[in-house]
Amino acid sequence: MSIWEYANPKKFMQTSSWALPWVAGLALIALVTGLVWGFFFTPEDYKQGSTVKIIYLHVPSAMMAINIWVMMLVTSLVWLIRRHHVSALAAKAAAPVGMVMTLIALVTGAIWGQPMWGTWWEWDPRLTSFLILFLFYLGYMALWEAIDNPDTAADLTGVLCLVGSVFAVLSRYAVNFWNQGLHQGATLSMDKEENISDVYWYPLLLCIAGFILLFVTLVLIRTRTEIRARRLKALEARERMA
Amino acid sequence: MNALSVTDLAVSRGGLPVLEGLGFTLAPGRALVLRGPNGIGKTTLLRTLAGLQPPLAGQISVPPEAMAYAAHADGLKATLSVTENLRFWASVYGTGTIARALDDMNLRQLADRAAMSLSAGQKRRLGLARLLVTGRPIWVLDEPTVSLDAASVALFAEAVRTHLAGGGAALMATHIDLGIPEAEVLDLAPFKARTPEEGGMSGGFDEAFE
Amino acid sequence: MIALLLRDLRLAIRAGGGFGLGLAFFLIVVTLVPFGVGPEGGVLARIAPGILWVGALLACLLSLDRIFALDFEDGSLDLLATAPIPLEGVVTIKAVAHWLTTGLPLVLAAPAFGVLLHLEGSANFWLVLSLALGTPALSVLGAFGAALTVGLKRGGLLLSLLVLPLYVPTLIFGAELVRRGASGMETQVPLLMLAGITAACIAVVPFASAAAIRVNLR
Amino acid sequence: MMTDLGKYADTVLAAYAVSIGLLLAIVIWSLWKGARVKRALEAQETRMGRRNG
């Protein structure tokens, strides 16, 4: 059996309705456990005090913000190359989730920055890049909404996602060049595992897993909704024609 | 040798099939008129033949670089003169000369007028003159005689006859008389796409689940 | 192809203010900014590269929706798509025509605006260079945005939302080049990046734009 | 049970409140939209007399 069978809407609806409760349950368990563990049972950082607890939200949401865009890029490519409708709809379904993740990363970053840097907003390369990513999500979603014909919308947003990806990466580089991150590294460098002690690392891992599972849950729900919406639209159109 | 042949063609508009099982051929020197009520899919069919949208099923075989398509809209630039409009299309198609088109469509006196100052019928004639300057043998025309008076329709018919006599072919969609009685007529109504219940093809993805 | 370019330029001139409109907008921005930030020469000179670049970007944005919309409405785009010119070529020519009518006048007029904002001689040179290198990318990317939104009735605002994030790298490197050039710092990196982005855009983006047009004409 | 968040209590609580609020918002929105579309589709299928789900 090939993976492409799941691109059949019937098969997708069956499989997703079977998988959904499991994924949702796991997401809930991982998120609640991870966040409770992180919030109540981890010590304060000697430098940052209790604000270190924000990493359990900030880091997973920031990771997801980027990874969801990558997932949208992959599904858009699958749609453009192999014309599997479910793939295009999954990209559409993922975009609002990605936007919310970006928003969470931005807001928690700003809230965190306030006591750490003494300002809500700093034109730090990372924050700025996320702001640009947020704009890309907005544009992508707006384009989906603006176009009536679903296949046209899928094609055009797919092309936009492709071009946007290149420019998102380019923007990241440009922003880095423009303002050589005065603040990064001074705070916790989160990319390097060894800089984070195990006390923070395990609940963080759990939170990351929780965010991923939550994303999968949401994408499954939303893709199912999109598939139904398209069937509804097709039936309505046929009723009008008849 | 056919100029244009279509086998078992199905076309869709907005994701829904509108025509299916369509087949016809068009030989050089012949004209074919497509008829059918509004909404049957005449324009969709012509756009598919012109290559602007992919067919849902079936084959279209046409020699490369042989077709000239004229849509509802004439594609004229209001601020350019008649000559400038024609010269542009002549150089796009690499034919160069526009003198014959001006004569055939009786546009000599209007040659220097801006397109925006032309009447609806004169604009239509200019749109048809554009076809002449493409130098393409197969014309695909969508409602070519809309807003033309009787004299202009006769002028149009004459231009089509000249084109056919020169070995060209013409495919026209219309619901009014074109004044070309020798043209074959194909009624599109029997090719209306059936619903899936009646055994027709479904729109593909949209309806296929559960 | 040349015929298409000539036609577009002729149309821009006949439409009245094809060249002038962007320029006038640019002038308004440059005039308004001192009212906003105060007439102090030092401050103005410092923010001038940014103002001029943002102004160029907005002036470019103003006329973007007309790149394909007019041809779409009167049916020429259908005819061009079935004509023997590749659609990629049509898109490129359209972008070139847009640049010639908005980008190029800005590049040529930039030193005058620079003077208004107290930019010094060498900074003016860098300003012209950066605009000359960067504005073609703005037109090509703008044509891509216009191609995406060509069939939409309320495409104007959406077009800005789609195109502006794409302008970020060009804006950053363009303004940075002027800033560095004016203060005598090393300019090679922004210069190469700016030129590289423009070259890559011209080479690749027309394919995406043509694909978008084909989808929109279906 | 409440851990002592020290002088940054506001900051941390605000971050958690906003984030969890946003997550809940998208979850509820997705579920609500899903239910609405599902109902509309079922109504349409019933109306067209081809219920075969």
Side-chain angles (χ1 to χ4, degrees), chain B:
Chain B
M1 172 56 196
N2 291 319
L4 171 70
S5 88
V6 165
T7 43
D8 202 24
L9 186 71
V11 298
S12 65
R13 180 179 55 218
L16 288 175
V18 286
L19 291 169
E20 64 181 5
L22 189 63
F24 60 83
T25 58
L26 183 61
R30 305 304 301 265
L32 180 63
V33 175
L34 302 173
R35 280 181 176 277
N38 285 333
I40 186 83
K42 294 190 291 284
T43 299
T44 308
L45 173 61
L46 292 190
R47 289 180 71 85
T48 308
L49 292 176
L52 286 169
Q53 63 180 70
L56 199 57
Q59 274 88 45
I60 301 167
S61 96
V62 57
E65 307 247 311
M67 196 188 281
Y69 168 70
H72 280 295
D74 291 315
L76 302 173
K77 285 300 168 190
T79 49
L80 297 187
S81 73
V82 169
T83 318
E84 284 168 334
N85 267 305
L86 281 182
R87 279 241 171 79
F88 166 65
W89 289 107
S91 57
V92 164
Y93 280 85
T95 47
T97 172
I98 62 163
R100 220 196 91 211
L102 283 176
D103 290 335
D104 284 4
M105 279 294 144
N106 201 13
L107 289 165
R108 267 286 172 219
Q109 288 88 27
L110 304 170
D112 294 324
R113 291 262 293 276
M116 63 181 142
S117 67
L118 299 181
S119 71
Q122 289 166 334
K123 274 185 191 156
R124 201 76 243 217
R125 264 154 55 200
L126 176 53
L128 296 169
R130 185 194 74 86
L131 273 178
L132 291 171
V133 303
T134 60
R136 292 285 176 92
I138 307 173
W139 289 357
V140 175
L141 314 179
D142 200 354
E143 305 282 8
T145 54
V146 163
S147 72
L148 288 187
D149 58 18
S152 299
V153 171
L155 200 68
F156 165 74
E158 198 46 51
V160 172
R161 283 200 190 94
T162 318
H163 180 64
L164 299 181
L171 181 68
M172 293 162 284
T174 187
H175 57 265
I176 48 178
D177 190 38
L178 293 174
I180 311 174
E182 68 270 31
E184 296 164 55
V185 173
L186 179 67
D187 188 4
L188 289 178
F191 301 102
K192 188 173 178 358
R194 291 161 301 166
T195 58
E197 288 84 44
E198 298 161 347
M201 60 183 80
S202 74
F205 169 77
D206 286 330
E207 304 170 19
F209 86 98
E210 280 190 334

Side-chain angles (χ1 to χ4, degrees), chain A residues 45-176:
Chain A
D45 185 72
Y46 71 99
K47 224 163 47 192
Q48 307 196 35
S50 59
T51 58
V52 73
K53 292 180 189 208
I54 298 176
I55 58 168
Y56 304 118
L57 296 164
H58 185 71
V59 173
S61 60
M63 278 179 63
M64 292 315 291
I66 296 169
N67 290 343
I68 290 173
W69 186 274
V70 174
M71 171 259 177
M72 280 160 54
L73 174 62
V74 172
T75 46
S76 297
L77 275 173
V78 169
W79 157 250
L80 290 175
I81 296 167
R82 297 200 53 145
R83 315 299 289 178
H84 291 309
H85 289 81
V86 174
S87 190
L89 293 182
K92 181 186 184 186
V97 187
M99 194 200 72
V100 167
M101 292 295 176
T102 316
L103 200 58
I104 291 177
L106 278 174
V107 171
T108 52
I111 294 177
W112 198 352
Q114 208 279 327
M116 289 299 109
W117 303 335
T119 164
W120 291 102
W121 183 258
E122 191 65 41
W123 287 98
D124 167 81
R126 283 201 184 197
L127 284 178
T128 312
S129 306
F130 269 80
L131 192 59
I132 297 168
L133 184 62
F134 186 69
L135 290 178
F136 272 114
Y137 274 119
L138 277 186
Y140 180 86
M141 285 161 58
L143 190 61
W144 261 112
E145 290 307 315
I147 304 170
D148 274 338
N149 184 319
D151 275 356
T152 307
D155 279 334
L156 294 180
T157 51
V159 174
L160 177 68
C161 185
L162 238 64
V163 175
S165 301
V166 175
F167 277 84
V169 173
L170 206 57
S171 300
R172 180 78 179 90
Y173 178 77
V175 165
N176 250 341

Side-chain angles (χ1 to χ4, degrees), chain C residues 8 42 49 54 65 94-95 113 118 122 135 148 167 185 209 212 218:
Chain C
D8 273 17
V54 171
D65 57 337
K94 290 267 172 195
F113 295 118
H118 297 265
S122 72
T135 46
L148 284 178
Y167 281 176
M185 284 157 71
S209 313
R218 272 206 312 242

Side-chain angles (χ1 to χ4, degrees), chain A residues 35-47:
Chain A
L35 287 179
V36 168
W37 184 356
F39 191 82
F40 293 110
F41 302 106
T42 55
E44 294 187 0
D45 185 72
Y46 71 99
K47 224 163 47 192

